[in-house]
Amino acid sequence: MNPISTKRSLTHLTDRKVPVFLWGPPGIGKSSIVAQIAKEKKIAYIDLRLSLLDPTDLRGIPFFNADTGEAVWAPASFLPDGSKAEGILFLDELNTAAPMVQASAYQLILDRKIGEYQLPDGWAIVAAGNRESDRGVVFRMAAPLANRFVHLEMEASVEDWKQWAVGAGIDPAIIAFISYRPDALFTFGQGKDDSRSFATPRTWEYVNEIVASEPDPDLIMPLVAGAIGEDLAAAFLGFKVVAGELPDLDGIFDGSVSAVPTEPAALHMLSTALAMRVGEGTSSKKLNNLIAYTLKMPGEFAVMIIQDLRERKIELDHVDSWTLWMRQFNNLLH
């Protein structure tokens, strides 16, 4: 299930307070999607890492109530206390928690209570974990616990990631490189098993931060390699050098530049950069110049730009050169 489908499914299930377990390899954004749902719904969000808890932590601590003469349980302070009417309790790394911790979560997940603690009615439970095949330290989930969830398996998606990356302000060179090398988005489980660094959506965010920090030239290669591995770092930085020799973008939009690069890396970079420059306030004249420029580009890159604009609901029907573009490239549109 790709990230967009996963998010849609989680939204429905959390609305109905159905417990969900989200499976997937490391670094693909499982926790980010759950947090994003809570943010968009404007509800509370608690991220609880069960692998850090002892079996008694969820149950709480017993103490003597002098007023009643009874022993009662003080609920854990990290559980929802009712001060927020609605929210998502995210139990991350559930299957990396010790079996006794998993067992202590049984009642909370199914009955929405544990001991004397009651989960507020407006709260949903979502859990997540890596698969047993992901080379992490995981404990097989007992059947009674597994049966308490609807299970969703999430996979990395290049198209979903690119759509997110544009909105998140990721460096255009990174987006262009992933368009050029879709296999580079997620390399976990490929190549040497002992590799410490590998590419995931998470580590590409690290690369974005590294590039944005403008490190000294002698540091850029080891820093990027530390995030995504040496081979991929060399490929990305080589791509970035070639793609850096681009026509002036402002010149393309004002119609004064007509030269088109021939290097595939430069064309990928240029297509991404041009599409990212367009927004709701872009004038019809600039759009017309852009469409006219794409008529000189190889078809696959012209279509790449138009598809990106369409996904962002940029209207093109009123642009003078649009009819000519459709006549030339309409057969390439999907």
Side-chain angles (χ1 to χ4, degrees), residues 258-270:
S258 60
V260 176
T262 57
E263 287 281 347
L267 284 165
H268 273 280
M269 177 69 176
L270 181 61

Side-chain angles (χ1 to χ4, degrees), residues 22 71 87 109 116 120 142 171 214 245 253 267 278 307 311 318:
L22 185 56
I109 294 164
E116 298 172 10
D171 190 294
E214 299 182 348
E245 301 174 359
F253 280 101
L267 284 165
V278 177
Q307 286 181 330
E311 287 175 2
H318 65 287

Side-chain angles (χ1 to χ4, degrees), residues 196-225:
R196 295 187 183 92
S197 304
F198 50 88
T200 67
R202 177 194 295 155
T203 55
W204 278 112
E205 283 191 72
Y206 297 161
V207 173
N208 182 66
E209 295 302 321
I210 291 167
V211 171
S213 71
E214 299 182 348
D216 295 333
D218 62 315
L219 296 179
I220 185 70
M221 177 61 185
L223 287 176
V224 174

Side-chain angles (χ1 to χ4, degrees), residues 5 59 135-136 182 254 275 320:
S5 296
R59 181 69 174 84
R135 306 201 313 263
D254 67 23
D320 292 340

Side-chain angles (χ1 to χ4, degrees), residues 266-276 297 300-302 304-305:
L267 284 165
H268 273 280
M269 177 69 176
L270 181 61
S271 300
T272 301
L274 287 172
M276 291 179 68
M297 300 176 73
E300 61 181 293
F301 297 101
M304 183 186 301
I305 293 172

Side-chain angles (χ1 to χ4, degrees), residues 2-36:
N2 64 37
I4 289 180
S5 296
T6 300
K7 183 180 176 184
R8 290 169 51 214
S9 301
L10 282 172
T11 300
H12 285 293
L13 293 171
T14 53
D15 283 344
R16 304 298 298 178
K17 307 300 180 292
V18 177
V20 186
F21 197 104
L22 185 56
W23 297 90
I28 63 170
K30 298 187 294 295
S31 58
S32 298
I33 281 183
V34 182
Q36 188 178 9

Side-chain angles (χ1 to χ4, degrees), residues 287 291 306 309-310 314-323:
L287 279 175
I291 300 304
I306 298 305
L309 298 182
R310 281 183 159 185
I314 303 297
E315 293 292 337
L316 299 172
D317 293 340
H318 65 287
V319 177
D320 292 340
S321 54
W322 179 240
T323 301

